[in-house]
Amino acid sequence: MTFSLYGFILGASFVLGLWNVQRLLSQDKRVSWDVGALLMFLFGIVGARLYHLATDWHLYTQATLIELVAVWNGGLGLIGGLLGGFI
């Protein structure tokens, strides 16, 4: 297994985001911490993919719908992930 700085930054941002969700939701007992963490994760992945598609659209002009959502083939934008997770 190789170390990737990009993966480390994504993981660290997820952990910091979880900490922030826990801190914010500890003040509001109406929402479960698990729900907040799941939403943060999902919005982060969607935001990262949308950012990648927006900045590298020339790679996907002839792509199918499956290829547009194929995050397992690579293509996540860090800034979009942070913005999506923040939302």
Side-chain angles (χ1 to χ4, degrees):
M1 180 183 294
T2 61
F3 177 78
S4 168
L5 183 60
Y6 180 77
F8 176 76
I9 291 172
L10 278 177
S13 65
F14 183 70
V15 169
L16 288 174
L18 284 176
W19 172 77
N20 194 34
V21 165
Q22 182 183 16
R23 184 181 60 83
L24 291 173
L25 292 181
S26 66
Q27 300 166 359
D28 186 6
K29 300 297 181 191
R30 294 176 294 168
V31 180
S32 169
W33 184 85
D34 294 336
V35 172
L38 178 63
L39 288 175
M40 185 194 71
F41 178 74
L42 292 176
F43 276 96
I45 294 294
V46 169
R49 186 59 179 180
L50 289 176
Y51 183 82
H52 174 70
L53 290 175
T55 57
D56 290 325
W57 182 248
H58 63 279
L59 299 174
Y60 299 97
T61 54
Q62 302 296 322
T64 65
L65 183 60
I66 297 296
E67 292 171 336
L68 291 177
V69 297
V71 295
W72 51 89
N73 289 334
L76 295 174
L78 180 62
I79 295 171
L82 292 173
L83 290 174
F86 182 74
I87 289 172

